[in-house]
């Protein structure tokens, strides 16, 4: 859809402002950064005012249809050279999306190359870049350069995939084009807020997927990229200081980058698979993180109870949940909350995901005997007040953590269980005596991550009864507005932007201690905790649905129905954590 400038109320930019904008574009600055200087409220208004001043129409590419037949006939080199994109034919004119209204040379060159009259429409640079990548794939420009370079060297057009040995891979990995291609893959992942990059070698070609807000999304790539699979993987190995010639065993490494003046750590894992090596990279964006208990999505009641737990003089506090559920973030936030000059905090982790200022961190090295258990024994000789153990995996680590708490230390750790009540029996099953578990574990947090609804495009709706689970508190529909995802340019048409946590906090009490000593099933411990006021993950999810933070589908995706065991007791629930009306 194309919005004509006459349909907006935005005043055009003045000649002086246009000159300032032109200079900014020449320096590589984005027009959105000038909004405050121009006295405008947003970057969108800068684009509207620019379009109005230049006599151009403003294109909304999120709803604009592309004529693929026109795209197939259009010279791709012009798209990359001038940062333009052909949309469709309108009245025998080529509708061309541009992001630089001052680049008249681009319009003339394209008109000359295609023999068509060109009608340019203005669009924000980020939207134009996203459209190019969605149709041509990540790294398409670099792939064109690689193919051209290969044809020049070989003198023929490639038909089959080339086989590379180790030395050839090393040479290819150092080519400027390969370096640029890998950098494009990494920078695109960081710009889209991806937490993981998956590069998978398959029989049909190379597949790249980014995990964004916890969900894998496939990225379009040129089909020719498969020919450069070995060079890409070799380049990543070189960056991660791994053995480039070793392709038979798994390898792990780490890359430190600076992207757009931001420091980013990338954990690299490479595993040999059927059709080649598979690469998974965890992106750790330091500048995009803040460890704060207030900011991770805890309700006020859970926050107050958890804060009391982490400030106890001794004991064990556990955080449980599957991989990627935010356990480390919760523990780091807890350490940041209690950190001061009077408290000695030491952690033992595998691996150290983030470096925390003022906290002593130990990297586990199992190959040289520095396990969680061994490092924990050494830590206790350094007079700590608080100890964080990355994960309790075995009996030795569990016993050492128990002894540390009994000798006056506060111990934080993680455990892999489905809910908070199962943590007690999990430690007992490892071999720790029940009376030690019941007397040392002060509290357990179970958590999951849900995607947050995009605030710019979420829409209210009234669901039908068959559209919600049986345990959904139907009275919500009568008392508050529910929201569902829609999709817009801000959220890349997913309907979601960012993530928030769901939390279930079990605080140990006398009844739970007795049940633990009796090795009672986790369901009995869960009932006792709920009688004491605990709300389950599912219930916390319904609360966030009521608050307009997430959708019903997201809660169903990450939590399991509790049945009659955990039906929300709205009448008896504490008002601070019961289901309440969402703010409109």
């Amino acid at each position: 859809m194309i919005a004509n400038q006459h349909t907006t109320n935005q005043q055009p930019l003045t000649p002086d402002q246009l000159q300032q904008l032109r200079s900014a574009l020449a320096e590589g600055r984005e027009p959105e950064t000038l909004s405050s200087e121009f006295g405008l409220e947003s970057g969108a208004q800068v684009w509207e005012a620019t379009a109005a001043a230049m006599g151009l129409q403003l294109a909304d590419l999120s709803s604009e249809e592309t004529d693929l037949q026109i795209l197939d006939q259009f010279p791709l080199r012009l798209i990359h050279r001038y940062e333009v994109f052909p949309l469709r034919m309108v009245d025998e004119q080529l509708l061309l999306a541009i992001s630089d209204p001052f680049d008249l040379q681009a319009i003339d060159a394209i008109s000359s190359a295609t023999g068509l009259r060109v009608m340019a429409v203005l669009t924000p640079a980020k939207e134009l870049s996203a459209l190019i990548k969605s149709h041509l794939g990540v790294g398409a420009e670099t792939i064109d350069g690689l193919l051209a370079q290969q044809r020049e060297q070989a003198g023929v057009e490639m038909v089959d995939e080339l086989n590379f040995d180790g030395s050839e891979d090393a040479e290819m990995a150092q080519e400027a084009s390969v370096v640029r291609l890998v950098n494009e893959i990494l920078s695109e992942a960081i710009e889209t807020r991806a937490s993981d990059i998956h590069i998978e070698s398959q029989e049909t070609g190379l597949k790249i997927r980014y995990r964004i807000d916890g969900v894998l999304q496939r990225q379009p790539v040129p089909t020719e990229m498969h020919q450069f699979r070995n060079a890409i993987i070799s380049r990543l190995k070189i960056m991660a200081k791994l053995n480039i010639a070793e392709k038979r065993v798994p390898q792990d490494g780490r890359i430190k980058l600076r992207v757009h003046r931001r420091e980013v750590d990338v954990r690299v894992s490479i595993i040999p698979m059927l059709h080649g090596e598979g690469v998974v990279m965890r992106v750790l964006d330091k500048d995009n993180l803040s460890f704060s208990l207030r900011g991770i999505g805890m309700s006020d009641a859970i926050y107050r109870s958890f804060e009391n737990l982490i400030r106890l003089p001794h004991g064990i506090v556990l955080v449980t949940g599957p991989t990627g559920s935010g356990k480390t973030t919760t523990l780091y936030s807890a350490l940041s909350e209690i950190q001061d000059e009077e408290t000695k905090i030491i952690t033992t982790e595998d691996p150290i995901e983030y470096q925390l200022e003022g906290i002593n961190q130990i990297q586990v090295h199992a190959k040289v005997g520095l396990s969680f258990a061994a490092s924990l024994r050494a830590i206790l000789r350094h007079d700590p007040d608080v100890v964080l153990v990355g994960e309790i995996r075995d009996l030795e680590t569990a016993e050492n953590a128990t002894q540390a708490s009994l000798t006056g230390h506060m111990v934080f750790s993680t455990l892999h269980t489905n809910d908070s009540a199962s943590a007690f029996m999990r430690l007992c099953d490892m071999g720790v005596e029940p009376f030690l578990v019941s007397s040392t574990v002060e509290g357990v947090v179970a958590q999951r991550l849900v995607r947050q609804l995009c605030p710019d495009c979420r829409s209210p709706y009234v669901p039908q009864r068959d559209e919600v689970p049986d345990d959904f508190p139907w009275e919500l529909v009568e008392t508050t507005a529910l929201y569902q995802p829609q999709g817009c340019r801000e959220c890349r048409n997913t309907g979601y932007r960012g993530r928030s946590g769901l939390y279930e906090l079990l605080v140990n009490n006398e009844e739970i201690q007795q049940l633990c000593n009796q090795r009672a099933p986790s369901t009995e411990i869960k009932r006792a905790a709920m009688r004491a006021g605990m709300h389950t993950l599912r219930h916390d999810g319904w609360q966030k649905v009521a608050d307009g933070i997430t959708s019903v589908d997201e809660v169903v995706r990450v939590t399991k129905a509790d049945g009659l065991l955990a039906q929300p007791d709205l009448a008896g629930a504490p008002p601070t954590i019961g289901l309440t009306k969402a703010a409109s």
Side-chain angles (χ1 to χ4, degrees), residues 31-36 40-50 124:
E32 289 88 345
T33 61
L34 300 173
S35 57
S36 59
L40 301 176
E41 295 180 358
S42 65
Q45 289 188 359
V46 174
W47 287 101
E48 292 175 7
T50 302

Side-chain angles (χ1 to χ4, degrees), residues 118-334:
V118 174
M119 182 171 70
V121 292
L122 191 62
T123 188
K126 289 183 179 179
E127 291 186 28
L128 181 57
S129 177
L131 182 67
I132 293 174
K133 288 172 181 174
S134 67
H135 283 283
L136 304 183
V138 177
E141 179 183 3
T142 306
I143 287 293
D144 288 342
L146 282 170
L147 289 173
Q149 179 188 47
Q150 218 170 45
R151 284 193 292 268
E152 290 173 4
Q153 293 175 349
V156 295
E157 188 172 346
M158 292 185 58
V159 176
D160 295 324
E161 177 186 359
L162 294 179
N163 294 320
F164 301 95
D165 59 25
S167 60
E168 289 177 339
D169 285 351
E171 292 177 4
M172 190 65 175
Q174 298 178 55
E175 293 287 344
S177 295
V178 175
V179 172
R180 182 178 178 186
L181 176 58
V182 171
N183 289 345
E184 285 182 16
I185 294 172
L186 293 171
S187 62
E188 174 71 6
I190 294 167
E191 288 177 8
T192 57
R193 300 179 296 103
S195 61
D196 300 87
I197 306 170
H198 293 241
I199 302 178
E200 302 164 352
S201 299
Q202 300 187 341
E203 185 178 9
T204 56
L206 196 67
K207 183 164 73 172
I208 296 180
R209 294 190 288 177
Y210 296 157
R211 188 176 296 278
I212 302 173
D213 292 333
V215 178
L216 280 173
Q217 299 180 16
R218 184 166 184 171
Q219 303 301 305
V221 297
T223 55
E224 297 86 356
M225 185 179 284
H226 187 61
Q227 301 172 16
F228 307 100
R229 175 195 65 193
N230 293 344
I232 293 171
I233 295 175
S234 296
R235 172 63 184 172
L236 290 170
K237 285 182 176 179
I238 291 173
M239 295 174 70
K241 298 179 175 60
L242 301 178
N243 185 350
I244 190 174
E246 181 57 76
K247 301 181 180 181
R248 300 166 300 174
V249 297
Q251 297 189 70
D252 295 316
R254 197 164 193 150
I255 301 172
K256 290 186 177 182
L257 301 172
R258 188 180 296 274
V259 182
H260 302 309
R261 299 181 180 178
R262 291 155 54 187
E263 288 191 6
V264 178
D265 276 358
V266 181
R267 279 175 20 207
V268 182
S269 175
I270 300 179
I271 299 178
M273 296 186 179
L274 179 61
H275 297 291
E277 293 175 289
V279 182
V280 174
M281 293 176 280
R282 169 65 59 87
V283 180
L284 307 173
D285 190 349
K286 296 179 179 179
D287 292 344
N288 202 26
L289 284 173
S290 59
F291 296 112
S292 166
L293 282 181
R294 283 290 189 185
I296 61 177
M298 284 187 176
S299 66
D300 288 339
I302 292 179
Y303 169 78
R304 289 194 298 269
S305 298
F306 188 62
E307 188 180 36
N308 290 335
L309 282 177
I310 64 178
R311 295 185 183 279
L312 292 174
H314 55 80
I316 298 176
V317 173
L318 298 172
V319 179
T320 73
T323 301
S325 60
K327 300 187 297 295
T328 301
T329 300
T330 298
L331 288 175
Y332 280 179
S333 299

Side-chain angles (χ1 to χ4, degrees), residues 162 171 214 357 370 402 488 529 550:
L162 294 179
E171 292 177 4
E357 184 67 27
L370 186 60
T402 302
C488 66
T550 191

Side-chain angles (χ1 to χ4, degrees), residues 13 17 78 82 92 105 114 120 207 224 242 257 268 272 285 311 383 392 491 506 525 547 554 566 574 578:
L13 295 181
Q17 289 174 330
L78 299 180
Y82 297 112
E92 299 184 354
Q105 180 185 356
T114 61
K207 183 164 73 172
E224 297 86 356
L242 301 178
L257 301 172
V268 182
D285 190 349
R311 295 185 183 279
D383 188 30
I392 295 179
C491 62
L506 185 154
I525 295 177
D547 292 339
E554 276 296 289

